[in-house]
Amino acid sequence: MAITGGPRGRLLLPLFLAAACLVCTPARAFYLPGVAPRDFQKDDDLQVKVNKLSSIKTQLPYDYYFLDYCKPEAIKNSAENLGEVLRGDRIENSVYNFKMRRDESCKVVCRTKLSAEAAKNFREKIDDEYRVNMILDNLPVVVPRQAREGSPTPNFDHGYRVGYKLKDDKYYINNHLSFKVLYHEDLNSPEARIVGFHVIPSSIKHEYGAWDDKNPTVQTCNANTKITPGSHTPQEVAPDAYVVFSYDVTFEASEIIWASRWDVYLLSSDSQIHWFSIINSLMIVLFLSGMIAMIMMRTLYKDIANYNQLDNQEEAQEETGWKLVHGDAFRPPVHSGLLCVYVGTGVQFFGMTVVTMMFALLGFLSPANRGGLMTAMVLLWVFMGVLAGYTSSRLYKMFKGTEWKKITLKTAFMFPGIIFGVFFVLNALIWGEKSSGAVPFGTMFALVLLWFGISVPLVFVGSFLGFKQPAIEDPVKTNKIPRQIPEQAWYLQPAFSILAGGILPFGAVFIELFFILTSIWLNQFYYIFGFLFIVFVILLVTCAEITIVLCYFQLCSEDYHWWWRAYLTAGSSALYLFAYAIFYFFNKLEITKLVSGILYFGYMLIISYAFFVLTGTIGFYACFWFVRKIYASVKID
């Protein structure tokens, strides 16, 4: 998802330098490994854990044992955090167990007879290009692939394919796994650390005589042979077929140190494109922002000087331009309570985003800490409820409202209620597909408990504190009778100016948006938070400046209904974000199932709605500061 927001525009340079320092050496942000290193001596037990079956064609994860794979005597689930459950991650033990630095060849783990249902499930998952994800010492398994021509960086695919389908319309299962474990030796001790986990899958129709479950042996391979893909007759997926699962493992010393073992997962193959695109976007947007700021400052200084000069002249009988509507500029807007709710929610989202970005930049949200990012966002959203209540009630009091409890309830329930409603429907669809991505009832109850038990009380605490504060005073008095607004030019009509205002903020993020969507929907790791932080700051500046410019033109045309216009001008960038999501769906994804398409657009709708609330709040506060500043700078009789 696109993470947006940031500090004030005047801090752009030092923040840019700080972010640049974080990303200048590698093409990613600094990261912490997430777990303490484990040292293994020779012949220590190594347990391979299985994660989930994932597919970029369906976006529906399944439990590893949904397919008829070999099962251990007792399946044990590893401890999961909230983020792992929300992402559909299930980490369980498996039958693949190694001895540290002891190679094994053609070890048979089990034989299973495929029922008609099991064969059907395997075929469906092969058709949908599902991949099996495994974990060893907290490292995901990867399949090496041929590097791009001229690229020194090795390429890897996350997880291995369940199987494949040939032109004869027959399905074949990858039932033999050739593992390679990379380890880094400690020169001063016999211990070593695991720094890589690779696999090459193969399909083999094993041949054997009388089967013995206690001591299974096959003639297809032995301890002195090593399996290579295509060297044997493949194992077809068919009802009543017997499938023998086997593996071999080799250990290889590596110069990769433990602290750098995640580099192969985090290095983007498009890092150069990413660098040049981001820098190009940064330079263009900063240039435009500087030009806009310079023009605005020159024009405003001239306006203020002229207005103050006219006030000293007796012949100045009539005001012109934006000063003409000074008696109406701070008149409370229609649906002022709803505006307060959305601004408060935006501040809550802004606080969550800033703190999450800080943790990410400091390396605490490493991919090794599975589910850490999602867990941090949910918990921070809950605790930032105090900011939402405080902001909405203070703004509501400025509008001379009295029903602050009603506004507080709307702030606590409107945005999260809409998000939860959409999420609940999408979760029901996932549950109907029997996917492990469905959030269990217990986790759903925990989310509701966090919402009602922590977030709502904090919103009320913040609202109570905010309403106790003295009301924000307007720099000028408001007339009792509203002034009539003259007919506006076509380019100053609300619909046109609002839609035009969202183009520049979206233009600041759409390049980074491509990489974020790729990480979400194409099963790639995203950890380039240094780049994201730069875009984060650019977005804040562009939202603020484009809203101020259009607000200035609006006031000069004697239209004083700027409150909602300011919010919607920056917030309209969410429409372009959703439009880009539609473009991405049809041009980059291969989703064909109806349920998967509904899930994609449902989640992108949630992301776009959150983006609207965030950018709208940034634009509103920029315009709010600007209007108060200009009317406080001129002499009003």
Side-chain angles (χ1 to χ4, degrees):
M1 70 185 152
I3 305 175
T4 49
R8 298 296 178 189
R10 64 177 179 270
L11 296 179
L12 177 61
L13 181 59
L15 288 178
F16 165 72
L17 293 175
C21 288
L22 289 168
V23 298
C24 58
T25 304
R28 53 173 173 78
F30 166 76
Y31 70 92
L32 298 176
V35 292
R38 292 183 60 190
D39 296 312
F40 297 94
Q41 294 185 354
K42 189 173 182 179
D43 291 332
D44 280 353
D45 289 330
L46 300 179
Q47 288 192 342
V48 176
K49 297 182 179 180
V50 289
N51 190 353
K52 61 184 177 182
L53 308 173
S54 59
S55 168
I56 61 175
K57 292 187 69 174
T58 68
Q59 304 296 333
L60 292 168
Y62 283 87
D63 185 80
Y64 174 80
Y65 295 112
F66 177 83
L67 296 179
D68 202 7
Y69 284 120
C70 300
K71 298 179 176 65
E73 293 182 0
I75 299 176
K76 300 177 182 178
N77 293 323
S78 299
E80 297 172 339
N81 56 41
L82 180 61
E84 285 180 291
V85 177
L86 293 176
R87 292 178 55 212
D89 280 345
R90 302 289 186 273
I91 301 177
E92 298 160 319
N93 59 327
S94 74
V95 294
Y96 299 100
N97 297 308
F98 311 148
K99 294 290 185 181
M100 183 66 179
R101 297 168 68 179
R102 184 172 295 279
D103 296 352
E104 292 185 273
S105 297
C106 198
K107 183 170 183 179
V108 177
V109 288
C110 83
R111 184 185 70 159
T112 182
K113 182 180 180 181
L114 297 182
S115 64
E117 181 68 20
K120 176 175 173 288
N121 288 336
F122 270 112
R123 287 170 176 168
E124 288 179 349
K125 296 299 173 281
I126 292 172
D127 272 333
D128 291 330
E129 299 179 6
Y130 269 84
R131 307 186 77 90
V132 179
N133 296 280
M134 294 181 169
I135 299 169
L136 176 64
D137 190 34
N138 208 38
L139 273 182
V141 70
V142 292
V143 179
R145 61 179 176 178
Q146 188 173 2
R148 294 182 179 181
E149 187 176 351
S151 175
T153 305
N155 291 324
F156 298 94
D157 290 321
H158 301 157
Y160 66 89
R161 297 278 287 271
V162 171
Y164 55 91
K165 180 182 178 182
L166 296 181
K167 294 181 180 179
D168 58 4
D169 288 335
K170 292 182 179 179
Y171 296 81
Y172 300 94
I173 181 175
N174 285 322
N175 60 323
H176 181 85
L177 303 177
S178 298
F179 294 105
K180 182 167 73 171
V181 179
L182 305 181
Y183 64 92
H184 183 76
E185 291 182 287
D186 188 344
L187 299 179
N188 299 320
S189 74
E191 298 178 333
R193 294 175 178 176
I194 295 174
V195 295
F197 185 34
H198 303 171
V199 68
I200 297 177
S202 305
S203 181
I204 303 174
K205 186 176 181 179
H206 285 294
E207 298 174 0
Y208 50 90
W211 184 261
D212 183 0
D213 285 328
K214 295 183 179 179
N215 186 27
T217 57
V218 294
Q219 285 83 45
T220 324
C221 61
N222 55 58
N224 299 319
T225 63
K226 184 173 177 63
I227 302 296
T228 57
S231 59
H232 292 76
T233 303
Q235 174 64 58
E236 184 181 353
V237 177
D240 299 326
Y242 284 96
V243 179
V244 176
F245 290 90
S246 59
Y247 73 91
D248 52 55
V249 57
T250 57
F251 288 83
E252 181 180 305
S254 172
E255 295 182 357
I256 300 173
I257 61 173
W258 186 86
S260 301
R261 65 179 189 162
W262 273 87
D263 286 1
V264 296
Y265 302 92
L266 305 182
L267 287 175
S268 170
S269 58
D270 298 319
S271 58
Q272 284 189 329
I273 298 173
H274 202 149
W275 262 112
F276 289 122
S277 298
I278 291 297
I279 293 176
N280 181 61
S281 176
L282 176 68
M283 293 299 104
I284 292 174
V285 173
L286 285 180
F287 175 75
L288 290 175
S289 300
M291 291 296 293
I292 291 173
M294 183 179 67
I295 293 170
M296 288 299 301
M297 292 304 294
R298 288 174 63 90
T299 306
L300 275 173
Y301 278 134
K302 183 178 179 181
D303 286 347
I304 293 170
N306 289 340
Y307 289 151
N308 287 336
Q309 185 179 8
L310 288 174
D311 284 334
N312 295 328
Q313 298 176 359
E314 295 181 1
E315 64 269 23
Q317 299 294 327
E318 188 176 341
E319 298 168 343
T320 58
W322 53 266
K323 188 182 178 185
L324 187 62
V325 294
H326 67 83
D328 299 278
F330 294 94
R331 188 179 302 282
V334 293
H335 307 299
S336 58
L338 184 63
L339 179 63
C340 296
V341 170
Y342 269 96
V343 171
T345 302
V347 171
Q348 181 180 9
F349 203 89
F350 182 83
M352 178 205 74
T353 305
V354 170
V355 178
T356 302
M357 286 290 292
M358 292 300 105
F359 278 119
L361 281 172
L362 292 174
F364 292 110
L365 301 180
S366 164
N369 182 14
R370 303 179 193 284
L373 179 62
M374 185 73 72
T375 303
M377 291 177 67
V378 172
L379 295 180
L380 284 171
W381 167 265
V382 168
F383 289 111
M384 291 296 172
V386 65
L387 297 181
Y390 183 87
T391 304
S392 60
S393 64
R394 284 220 70 188
L395 197 60
Y396 185 66
K397 188 172 184 178
M398 186 189 73
F399 290 145
K400 298 178 174 57
T402 55
E403 299 178 336
W404 68 275
K405 295 179 181 178
K406 183 177 179 181
I407 296 300
T408 306
L409 283 173
K410 288 183 178 180
T411 304
F413 289 103
M414 181 173 289
F415 178 82
I418 294 172
I419 297 298
F420 186 82
V422 176
F423 176 74
F424 186 83
V425 172
L426 296 178
N427 193 67
L429 292 175
I430 300 174
W431 179 78
E433 293 291 320
K434 300 179 181 179
S435 167
S436 64
V439 177
F441 174 78
T443 306
M444 194 72 76
F445 179 77
L447 290 174
V448 174
L449 192 64
L450 285 172
W451 179 13
F452 283 82
I454 300 178
S455 180
V456 173
L458 286 177
V459 172
F460 269 91
V461 169
S463 186
F464 175 76
L465 295 175
F467 208 75
K468 282 185 64 177
Q469 298 294 319
I472 302 173
E473 295 185 2
D474 300 329
V476 293
K477 293 182 179 179
T478 301
N479 297 333
K480 293 183 179 180
I481 302 175
R483 183 183 182 87
Q484 186 175 359
I485 299 174
E487 186 177 351
Q488 302 292 298
W490 65 270
Y491 54 84
L492 291 175
Q493 295 295 325
F496 179 82
S497 63
I498 287 172
L499 290 175
I503 295 176
L504 189 58
F506 172 75
V509 301
F510 88 95
I511 296 176
E512 192 68 17
L513 185 63
F514 169 80
F515 292 95
I516 294 173
L517 292 182
T518 299
S519 70
I520 294 175
W521 301 109
L522 296 182
N523 197 29
Q524 301 293 322
F525 286 109
Y526 182 88
Y527 206 69
I528 316 176
F529 288 107
F531 287 118
L532 190 61
F533 185 75
I534 298 171
V535 176
F536 191 53
V537 178
I538 293 173
L539 181 74
L540 180 138
V541 175
T542 50
C543 282
E545 291 188 343
I546 196 65
T547 307
I548 288 173
V549 169
L550 293 179
C551 180
Y552 173 73
F553 291 151
Q554 179 186 352
L555 292 174
C556 286
S557 64
E558 301 177 18
D559 183 356
Y560 51 84
H561 294 315
W562 61 271
W563 298 94
W564 273 108
R565 184 88 69 91
Y567 195 98
L568 296 175
T569 295
S572 67
S573 56
L575 293 175
Y576 298 99
L577 189 153
F578 192 75
Y580 182 79
I582 297 174
F583 168 82
Y584 188 87
F585 178 84
F586 288 106
N587 286 271
K588 299 296 181 181
L589 300 182
E590 300 177 6
I591 292 176
T592 55
K593 294 184 68 173
L594 177 62
V595 172
S596 302
I598 294 173
L599 290 177
Y600 174 83
F601 286 108
Y603 284 124
M604 290 309 302
L605 186 64
I606 291 176
I607 292 171
S608 300
Y609 185 38
F611 192 71
F612 164 76
V613 171
L614 178 61
T615 54
T617 301
I618 294 170
F620 172 83
Y621 269 112
C623 203
F624 181 66
W625 169 83
F626 170 75
V627 174
R628 289 181 61 85
K629 199 75 173 176
I630 62 173
Y631 283 109
S633 301
V634 295
K635 300 176 183 177
I636 306 292
D637 292 332

